[in-house]
Amino acid sequence: LTAEKYQKELLEKVIPFWENNSKDEQCGGYFTCLDRQGKVFDTDKFIWLQAREVWMFASLYNRVEQKAQWLEMAEHGARFLMQHGHDGQLNWYFSLTREGEPLVQPYNIFSDCFATMAFGQLYQATGNEEYGRIAKQTFDNILKRQDNPKGQYNKLVSGTRPLKGFSLPMILCNLSLEIEHLLPKELVNQTIDEAIHEVMDIFYQPETGLILENVTPEGEFSDSFEGRLMNPGHTIEAMWFIMDLAERKNDSELMQKAVKIMLDTLKYGWDDEFGGIFYFLDIKGNPPQQLEWDQKLWWVHIETLISLSKAYYHTGNEECLTWFQKVHEYTWAHFADAEYAEWYGYLNRRGEVLLPLKGGKWKGCFHVPRGLYQVWQTLEKIDAKSPKRE
């Protein structure tokens, strides 16, 4: 297993795919609905994916090489977001028309999370104060909204079955590190500690060793579709965020716990019959409410490779290496497209391509390139530690 395989895929195939196909020269921003060969099949623009692509190109500029075209690609998306992406108060819409007219209200706090990441990275790349202000103000909005993320757009009747979701504390683990250069130290530390507590104490269920997607406000189990829901990929992704925080805090106990949860979740979520990791499961083994529960998704497998490589790097746990090889083989055999650039996103349970798209409403320039970058960097560190490893 070589770092070079991941590096080459990132820099020679995946990033050029987005550079060549996603830029909307006419209206600004990016096309994300791209078919197998990179042709545009829909022109709507989703704020999550616009912001993620800005973040991706800005972070390549910051972390890999200061290439002018990468910075220009990031700023191209940022200009569109600044002009069209929010309601004037930095509440970020969910989706827009090609021209930038809002289609879906700012109900989704993850639009705000990715906008924060995007402008935080761009501020680092350019020192432009306006980018810094947008990132900081949006982050403040997120913290204000965290107890009621959907705000006025919540379709649930309040009070009947109140639940809180795992996604936001999970993303705050990563987001607080992404923009810590813009925040007071105390706020960063407080946000990190609260997020770790939520993820590792509230959503984690010691009796099963697994993490739930939703719990009651008191942190209890809710025996309902939402309360029994498990998303293995989410947990595994969250665990590499926690590993990064454990490294930062020099907390070996937290590191070991993150590695254990990651491995327990992977074993629980692995499809022994066809290989790959299930998308959704019910913690009691009931039929999940999501009909796509048995699909195999690109991001789940890529996030797992990041987690396993980091876990092996930090702990030397051989089980992580064995699993890495297994997931690596499945992922490259099924998601990487041998003929055209970028990766498939959606496979059926048997591992056959379900949709040949390379980008859509949920898949953009994010998980594949970020994952390739992270694994490349981690494998290089592993190689540096043990030069004799084949």
Side-chain angles (χ1 to χ4, degrees), residues 51-184:
R52 283 171 157 190
E53 189 158 343
V54 171
W55 174 85
M56 193 66 236
F57 278 98
S59 65
L60 286 172
Y61 179 84
N62 287 332
R63 293 166 186 173
V64 178
E65 190 187 333
Q66 295 195 336
K67 278 192 182 182
Q69 79 244 37
W70 285 347
L71 185 58
E72 162 45 31
M73 188 75 171
E75 294 205 276
H76 173 81
R79 289 190 288 271
F80 182 80
L81 283 173
M82 286 158 78
Q83 198 176 346
H84 303 290
H86 58 88
D87 63 0
Q89 307 296 307
L90 294 183
N91 297 303
W92 297 84
Y93 294 116
F94 179 74
S95 59
L96 314 170
T97 64
R98 178 182 178 185
E99 295 72 25
E101 293 296 319
L103 283 168
V104 177
Q105 296 283 10
Y107 79 97
N108 193 307
I109 198 167
F110 298 104
S111 298
D112 302 57
C113 291
F114 294 115
T116 303
M117 279 173 67
F119 286 98
Q121 274 297 328
L122 258 186
Y123 173 72
Q124 244 178 328
T126 61
N128 179 330
E129 294 297 336
E130 180 63 1
Y131 296 151
R133 183 189 68 77
I134 292 172
K136 227 170 111 20
Q137 205 177 318
T138 304
F139 187 69
D140 291 341
N141 286 353
I142 293 167
L143 294 184
K144 284 193 197 102
R145 278 174 65 185
Q146 62 183 336
D147 293 331
N148 183 15
K150 286 197 166 63
Q152 71 198 73
Y153 305 108
N154 205 334
K155 63 185 177 190
L156 299 177
V157 174
S158 70
T160 311
R161 185 189 288 152
L163 292 172
K164 59 178 184 173
F166 175 65
S167 307
L168 192 55
M170 162 196 164
I171 214 161
L172 284 172
C173 290
N174 182 244
L175 191 56
S176 41
L177 286 187
E178 274 288 333
I179 67 151
E180 70 170 313
H181 55 285
L182 285 165
L183 301 173

Side-chain angles (χ1 to χ4, degrees), residues 155-219:
K155 63 185 177 190
L156 299 177
V157 174
S158 70
T160 311
R161 185 189 288 152
L163 292 172
K164 59 178 184 173
F166 175 65
S167 307
L168 192 55
M170 162 196 164
I171 214 161
L172 284 172
C173 290
N174 182 244
L175 191 56
S176 41
L177 286 187
E178 274 288 333
I179 67 151
E180 70 170 313
H181 55 285
L182 285 165
L183 301 173
K185 204 173 170 183
E186 313 74 74
L187 179 62
V188 175
N189 291 335
Q190 182 195 339
T191 308
I192 286 173
D193 289 344
E194 282 171 14
I196 291 174
H197 168 66
E198 287 276 306
V199 168
M200 303 302 270
D201 302 326
I202 308 285
F203 287 90
Y204 174 64
Q205 309 291 299
E207 55 284 0
T208 57
L210 302 169
I211 281 178
L212 294 168
E213 280 293 295
N214 300 288
V215 293
T216 70
E218 299 73 40

